[in-house]
Amino acid sequence: MKKKILFILSLFSGIIISQAQTTGNYNLKAGLVFQKTQYLYFENGIGIDYSSEKLLDQKLHLKFTYLSSRLGSAIETNAIPQDNFLLGADWRFLHTKDLQIMAGINAGYFHASYGNAALDVLPASSVLLSAEAGLVYNFKIPLSATLSAGYNFISGNGVNVPGSLFPVFYKLGIYYTLPM
């Protein structure tokens, strides 16, 4: 699993670096992401948001997000430690305004660590595919906030998809714009 994660991170980093080298006008944001799955866990983590003029005049944003219940509900509790690795693309409406509307898709990998050999018969991982929509506000300082809701098209049934992968989620992201 660690090799897959490193491969995805290096691939995404390579795309961003190659884009940044070909254009001087790009935005790279990094920050904290807080997700609440409806009726289940808080999953927190980090996110990266990249856009450039070459990506449809900064209307298209590429994203990487890592979320984990290990940084949320599973801290000091018996909640199932689970990790989400997501790559996504968002389209920004009103992209020149401070308040923007966003809609996008995400794909990735989900893994739950049950921590009990008796539970090894349960499915522990799944691919992720979700749609997300919300609002983005760009402050006058180099900060932005994203508030969104999303739907996982692949959700848990406990038979072939982990039962803790619920369909509806809500997300808050606080991003710092890195200097160019």
Side-chain angles (χ1 to χ4, degrees):
M1 181 173 115
K2 289 181 182 179
K3 288 182 181 179
K4 289 180 187 177
I5 295 165
L6 290 174
F7 174 75
I8 291 171
L9 285 173
S10 63
L11 180 65
F12 189 72
S13 300
I15 292 169
I16 288 176
I17 290 168
S18 67
Q19 279 286 322
Q21 289 174 344
T22 60
T23 180
N25 197 1
Y26 65 93
N27 283 317
L28 182 60
K29 300 177 180 184
L32 301 175
V33 181
F34 309 94
Q35 178 174 294
K36 171 67 170 111
T37 303
Q38 188 171 6
Y39 303 121
L40 198 61
Y41 296 146
F42 284 98
E43 297 171 303
N44 304 318
I46 58 170
I48 298 171
D49 182 299
Y50 172 79
S51 66
S52 85
E53 286 192 0
K54 286 194 172 189
L55 289 174
L56 301 171
D57 195 30
Q58 295 190 350
K59 293 176 187 169
L60 182 66
H61 287 243
L62 301 178
K63 307 181 305 181
F64 169 77
T65 308
Y66 167 72
L67 295 164
S68 179
S69 65
R70 299 171 203 270
L71 303 172
S73 294
I75 295 176
E76 305 270 337
T77 69
N78 64 351
I80 298 170
Q82 53 191 39
D83 301 293
N84 299 275
F85 302 90
L86 295 163
L87 293 175
D90 291 341
W91 184 264
R92 301 288 171 92
F93 300 92
L94 308 171
H95 76 285
T96 58
K97 306 291 184 189
D98 289 338
L99 182 62
Q100 303 171 1
I101 300 169
M102 66 83 101
I105 57 171
N106 303 307
Y109 178 75
F110 172 89
H111 182 75
S113 301
Y114 300 118
N116 185 334
L119 300 176
D120 285 346
V121 296
L122 297 174
S125 62
S126 174
V127 294
L128 294 170
L129 181 61
S130 62
E132 188 175 358
L135 299 173
V136 177
Y137 187 77
N138 294 307
F139 295 94
K140 301 297 182 202
I141 58 176
L143 286 177
S144 64
T146 303
L147 185 62
S148 62
Y151 185 82
N152 284 315
F153 295 111
I154 302 169
S155 58
N157 58 13
V159 177
N160 56 4
V161 178
S164 61
L165 181 55
F166 279 32
V168 178
F169 61 88
Y170 309 100
K171 195 181 293 182
L172 169 67
I174 307 295
Y175 292 92
Y176 175 76
T177 304
L178 301 170
M180 288 195 283

